[in-house]
Amino acid sequence: MKCIITIELGTNGVRVFAFNLSGRVIGSMKGYFPTFHTEPDHSEQDPEQIFITTLYVLKNLLNEFIHPKKYEVACICFSASMHSVLAVDKNGNPLGNAITWADNRAKKEAQELRYSELGKKLYAATGTPIHPMSPVVKIAWMKNRDKERFRLASKFLSIKSYIIHQLTGEYNIDYSLASATGLLNIHTVAWEADALQYAGITSTRLPDVVPVFTSAGKLKKAYQQSLRLPSGTKILLGSSDGCLATLGDGVKGVGKATITIEDSGAVRVMGPTVLKDEQMRFFNYLLTDDCYVSGGPTNNGGNILEWFSRQFGEFTNPFDMENSLQQLIEEASKVPRGSDGLLFLPYLLGERAPIWNANARGMYFGLNIKHERKHFIRATIEGILYEIYSIGKTLGEQRNIKSLSVNGSFGTIPFCTQMIADMFNKPVRVRQQYHSVSFGAYLLSATEMGIYKSLDEAAQTVELPDVFKPNKQHHAVYADYFSIYEKLSIKLADEFEAISSLQQKYAVTDAPVKKSKTGSKSR
Amino acid sequence: MNQFVLQQGKSAELLLFPQILEVGIKKIGSIQLNAFSTTTTDGLRIYYIIEGRFEWRINHQTYIYYPGDVALILPGTPFGSDNGVLEIGSFTWIQLSLHRLDNGQIQPGKWSGLSETETAAIGKTLLLNSMPVLSRFNEVGKILKCIHAELFGNEVGYQASINHQLDELLIQVARKMTKQSHANRDFPKTFMHLEEVLRQDLAHQWTVEEMAALVGMGTTLFTERVKSYSGFSPINYLINIRISEAIKLLKRPEISVTDIALDTGFYSSQHFSTTFKKLTGYRPSEFRKNHLRNK
C-alpha cells in the first residue's frame, strides 16, 4: 500500500500527516518550536531547531504509523508559512535565526516603500502587499541595518528552502512561496529586476524558482537510513500554507471563497486572474502558471479571544485554555445577536487587510449601564468576525462570492461558523476534524502522481458535508451594527496613530532578554 | 485580638516551639517614628497586613502593602521602613528559624511533618523566586490567627496543631509563589520561560521534577501539558533543544566534539554520538565534516 506524507512548517511548529492514496488520514503528529522575541519588533525562529523537530516528528510518525503496517511512502510533500527569510553563508550554514512573517523590524522601510511610486509598481508586479512581513523589505532592512550579515549572505532562503536543502542538498523555492517574497514578478514568473535592485541583491542570491510540482532532489543517504526510506522516495516541493488551505477546501472555481481563522485569519479566492487594487489591500500569490490565490489577511483572529480568556476567563484547571474558551462561547451564546449594541474593534495587534494600519488599536464601543461581562465576550467574538466580513466585503467588490467554506481552529467552532454565515448572508461549508493545509498538500501530491488529471479535478472532489445556512433576520441585525463598525475602523485613523505613539512614548521597556549561554562558552 | 509580641527565650508560650523566633500582632493608631527600623535576621519573616497601607523596604527596594498582602523576607535580608516610620494600620507576623544546609538550601527542622523531597522543593521555591509581595493572600492571615489562638488556648493537642499549621503556612507560601509567577493561564508564555531557563543551562542534567517545579506544576500535569502543547515528552523536547544547539556548535570548527557533547548536556561523547546518529543518520564528526566543506 502506498501513502503520501505531508509536512507543514507552520508558525508554531511542524505538523506531519500521512494519507492513503484516496485521501484518508492514516496518522498525524506535531512538534512545537519556539519563536524568539529578542527585541520588541523581532520575531525569529531557530532553523536548526525547526530542522531537528521536523526530522524527529517525521521519524516518529514513520515508526508509529507507516513502517509497522508496511506502507510504501510514495511522496513527501511540503508546505510552509509565507514570508520567512533566512540568510545562509557560502557553505549553506545559517547566519543567525530565520526571520518570520510576524517580524516587524522593517516597518520603516515598508512605510517608505508603500507610499512611493516604486512601491505601487512593485505591488502590481509582485502581488505582495508592501508590509514589514514581506521578504523584500526584510532583505532591504538587512542591507541597511545588518550590513555584516548582508555581506556574508550567499543566499536568502525561506525556512522551507533551508529544510529541504538539509534533506536533499538542493536550493529551490516554489512559485507560491516565491510569490510571497515581494521579489517575484507574478506575471512573468521571474525575479523582478526593480525588486532585486531595491533589496540590493542579484538573483544568484535567491534559490531557483520552480513549479510546486517539482521534485526537490534525492533524500541524502544518512536520512534514508535514519528514516528507513528508500532512495527513490519523492520529495515534492509543494506550496505555501495559504495556497494549500484554499486548494484543500476545494475553492478552485467561480464564486467560491474560503475563510481561514486560526490565531490570525484570511479570506481567499482562487482563479486565473489577479485582483487589482489601487489601495493595495489584497495579495495575489501564484499557485501554478494559470492560477492565483488572492485575498486579504488579518492579524486578529482566535488569538484575540485567547487574550480575552487569559485576562477575564475562568480557569477551573490550570492552563486549561480549551475549557475556558468553551465557557466563554457558552456565555456568549446567551447574549442577543449584536451584543445589545456593544461593538468591538479587534485591532490588538494592529491590522493588515483591509485597513493596513499597524497603529490600529482595539476598542469597545457603545457601552451602556446594562452591559455585563457576557456582552463583552460576545462583542469580542462578533468584532473578530466583523473584521473577517469586512475583508470579504472588499473582495466581493471584485469577485462575486456565492459560497463560502471555513477552516481553522477558531473559524470551525460551530458558534463562529454560524455567525459567519449570518454576517455574510451566505451558506458556509465546513468539515469538522479536518486539516485544510495538509489536505491541500495531499491533493497536490495526488495530482502530481496522476491520481487526478489536474488541480481543478482534484479540487472538485473535495466534499465539505456540514452546511451552515444563513438566517436573514440575524443578517439584518449584524448588517446594521456592521455599518457602525466599518465607519469606526476608518474614522479613528488619527486617534489610532495618536494613541499608538503615546503607547510607544510611555512604554516601560522590558528587561533585556538573556542570551543563551551555550555557544558563547569557551573552553 | 489585641496586640501582643511573643519572643523566643523571653516568652514561656514559645518553650515548646523553638522554631518560632517571634510572633505577634501590632496595631498602630497614629504614625510612629523610629518604631520599625531596618534589621537583618537569620529567620524567615512573614508579615500579613490586616489594615492600612505600609511602605516597607526589603533588600533596599521599596514595596507597598495593602490589606490581604503578605511580605516575605528571606533569612539574611534587610527589612524595615525609611526612618523606621510605622503608618496607621495593623498587621500580624511570624519569624521562623530554618536550617541552612551546606549547599545553601533552607529547610524546616524536625518539628515539620513534610517529607524530604517536599522540604527540598519548598526550600528551592523560596530561594529561586524573589517575590517580596504576595498579594491577596488571606490564607496566611487565617493560619496566623489559628496559631495565635492555639498558643493562648493550650487545648489538648495544641503542640501538634501548631506544628501542622506551620507546615501548612510554608506549603501555602511556596504554592502562592509559583502561582503568582505563572498565572496558570498562559501556557505558551510559561513554556517559553521554561525553554529560556533550559537553554541557559543546557549542560545541567535536568529532571522532569525540576522542570515541573520551575513552572510551579505537578509532574503529572506538567508532562501532560508539555506533551499536548509541544508534541514531545519533556525529556524528548529537551533532547530536541540539545541536538539543535549541538548542530550549531558542530558548524563552528573551534570546539571539540567532546566539549560540544558536555556543553549540550550529554553524559559523554559516546552518548552524544549515539543520540545524534539515531536522529540524523550522521555521526557528529561526519556531520561536521559535511558542513564545513565549501559547496
Side-chain angles (χ1 to χ4, degrees), chain B residues 2-260:
Chain B
N2 289 325
Q3 56 175 341
F4 71 90
V5 185
L6 300 178
Q7 282 176 324
Q8 193 58 244
K10 289 182 187 165
S11 314
E13 288 88 344
L14 295 183
L15 270 176
L16 285 171
F17 307 99
Q19 73 273 26
I20 303 181
L21 299 177
E22 198 175 89
V23 61
I25 296 182
K26 191 159 186 71
K27 296 184 176 173
I28 309 108
S30 58
I31 292 181
Q32 298 173 13
L33 294 176
N34 303 318
F36 206 67
S37 38
T38 300
T39 54
T40 306
T41 70
D42 290 336
L44 173 74
R45 293 184 275 189
I46 298 172
Y47 281 69
Y48 174 79
I49 313 302
I50 302 168
E51 283 176 325
R53 173 190 180 277
F54 295 93
E55 236 183 279
W56 288 337
R57 286 171 83 82
I58 298 178
N59 214 4
H60 315 296
Q61 286 262 10
T62 305
Y63 301 93
I64 297 172
Y65 296 90
Y66 295 99
D69 288 353
V70 164
L72 185 74
I73 303 101
L74 292 180
T77 309
F79 168 61
S81 68
D82 277 343
N83 306 322
V85 172
L86 263 189
E87 295 97 338
I88 296 166
S90 64
F91 56 84
T92 166
W93 78 99
I94 192 164
Q95 186 184 152
L96 285 177
S97 149
L98 298 176
H99 286 303
R100 194 173 267 278
L101 305 180
D102 293 339
N103 60 8
Q105 295 280 1
I106 46 176
Q107 64 172 48
K110 288 205 180 76
W111 55 269
S112 169
L114 295 167
S115 76
E116 207 171 303
T117 44
E118 287 171 331
T119 303
I122 288 178
K124 201 168 187 179
T125 308
L126 290 177
L127 285 182
L128 259 180
N129 300 285
S130 154
M131 207 173 284
V133 186
L134 299 167
S135 45
R136 284 185 288 171
F137 198 5
N138 296 323
E139 289 85 348
V140 169
K142 281 182 204 149
I143 292 170
L144 291 178
K145 208 168 169 183
C146 208
I147 292 174
H148 302 157
E150 291 282 358
L151 274 174
F152 295 114
N154 295 350
E155 280 184 58
V156 65
Y158 80 101
Q159 188 182 359
S161 169
I162 287 176
N163 287 339
H164 176 73
Q165 295 290 335
L166 290 174
D167 275 342
E168 184 64 21
L169 182 66
L170 291 176
I171 293 169
Q172 291 296 336
V173 166
R175 288 187 183 172
K176 179 79 177 178
M177 286 176 93
T178 46
K179 285 199 179 119
Q180 191 162 303
S181 55
H182 305 285
N184 271 348
R185 288 176 172 229
D186 195 343
F187 192 75
K189 201 169 163 188
T190 301
F191 194 74
M192 199 63 214
H193 167 74
L194 176 70
E195 160 117 20
E196 237 172 68
V197 175
L198 294 179
R199 279 173 183 270
Q200 274 168 32
D201 193 7
L202 262 193
H204 179 70
Q205 299 299 323
W206 291 97
T207 63
V208 178
E209 288 74 15
E210 277 175 302
M211 290 191 257
L214 248 172
V215 294
M217 293 171 82
T219 51
T220 314
L221 180 67
F222 174 73
T223 305
E224 184 192 303
R225 285 277 178 265
V226 170
K227 176 87 191 159
S228 82
Y229 182 70
S230 77
F232 295 103
S233 71
I235 291 298
N236 283 343
Y237 188 78
L238 184 61
I239 290 178
N240 236 351
I241 304 181
R242 292 197 157 128
I243 300 269
S244 332
E245 282 304 316
I247 285 187
K248 266 183 248 172
L249 297 177
L250 284 171
K251 289 180 177 178
R252 299 179 7 190
E254 70 275 13
I255 311 170
S256 79
V257 173
T258 312
D259 283 350
I260 293 173

Side-chain angles (χ1 to χ4, degrees), chain A residues 6-202:
Chain A
T6 64
I7 298 179
E8 181 194 349
L9 303 163
T11 305
N12 298 314
V14 53
R15 274 174 190 280
V16 183
F17 277 77
F19 293 90
N20 70 11
L21 292 193
S22 52
R24 197 176 55 79
V25 175
I26 302 167
S28 75
M29 278 188 185
K30 67 163 187 179
Y32 159 92
F33 43 76
T35 303
F36 304 104
H37 305 281
T38 45
E39 286 175 48
D41 277 327
H42 288 204
S43 179
E44 298 186 345
Q45 289 177 334
D46 175 0
E48 310 296 14
Q49 192 169 3
I50 297 175
F51 176 61
I52 282 302
T53 307
T54 304
L55 206 55
Y56 209 153
V57 175
L58 176 61
K59 191 178 155 90
N60 285 347
L61 177 114
L62 289 169
N63 287 340
E64 186 158 343
F65 299 109
I66 305 304
H67 295 324
K69 295 191 183 136
K70 307 254 181 293
Y71 275 108
E72 182 196 331
V73 179
C75 167
I76 298 178
C77 179
F78 280 84
S79 76
S81 306
M82 294 178 282
H83 314 305
S84 62
V85 174
L86 173 66
V88 297
D89 68 13
K90 59 184 193 313
N91 294 331
N93 295 333
L95 297 161
N97 282 333
I99 304 173
T100 77
W101 65 270
D103 192 287
N104 271 323
R105 73 185 69 187
K107 58 185 176 189
K108 200 175 128 261
E109 282 79 4
Q111 182 87 356
E112 284 168 8
L113 185 59
R114 187 173 173 89
Y115 296 105
S116 70
E117 276 311 306
L118 177 65
K120 277 178 195 145
K121 204 172 147 199
L122 289 186
Y123 170 72
T126 67
T128 309
I130 312 287
H131 184 270
M133 70 183 183
S134 176
V136 70
V137 292
K138 284 175 178 150
I139 297 172
W141 178 90
M142 223 183 271
K143 177 186 68 176
N144 300 334
R145 315 274 284 278
D146 195 353
K147 292 182 177 143
E148 186 62 7
R149 176 149 60 153
F150 183 80
R151 191 180 63 78
L152 290 172
S154 156
K155 279 197 193 302
F156 297 94
L157 303 177
S158 74
I159 287 174
K160 188 170 93 172
S161 300
Y162 178 72
I163 299 303
I164 289 180
H165 179 252
Q166 295 307 295
L167 291 172
T168 70
E170 292 197 13
Y171 283 123
N172 286 320
I173 188 164
D174 65 85
Y175 282 8
S176 21
L177 274 185
S179 64
T181 61
L183 288 154
L184 187 82
N185 186 314
I186 52 172
H187 312 284
T188 62
V189 199
W191 296 118
E192 167 68 29
D194 288 340
L196 291 173
Q197 195 188 3
Y198 169 76
I201 58 173
T202 56

Side-chain angles (χ1 to χ4, degrees), chain A residues 345-366:
Chain A
L345 301 188
Y347 305 138
L348 275 65
L349 294 164
E351 187 53 302
R352 287 184 284 169
I355 59 172
W356 292 94
N357 183 352
N359 294 324
R361 291 294 180 267
M363 176 171 76
Y364 288 96
F365 179 78

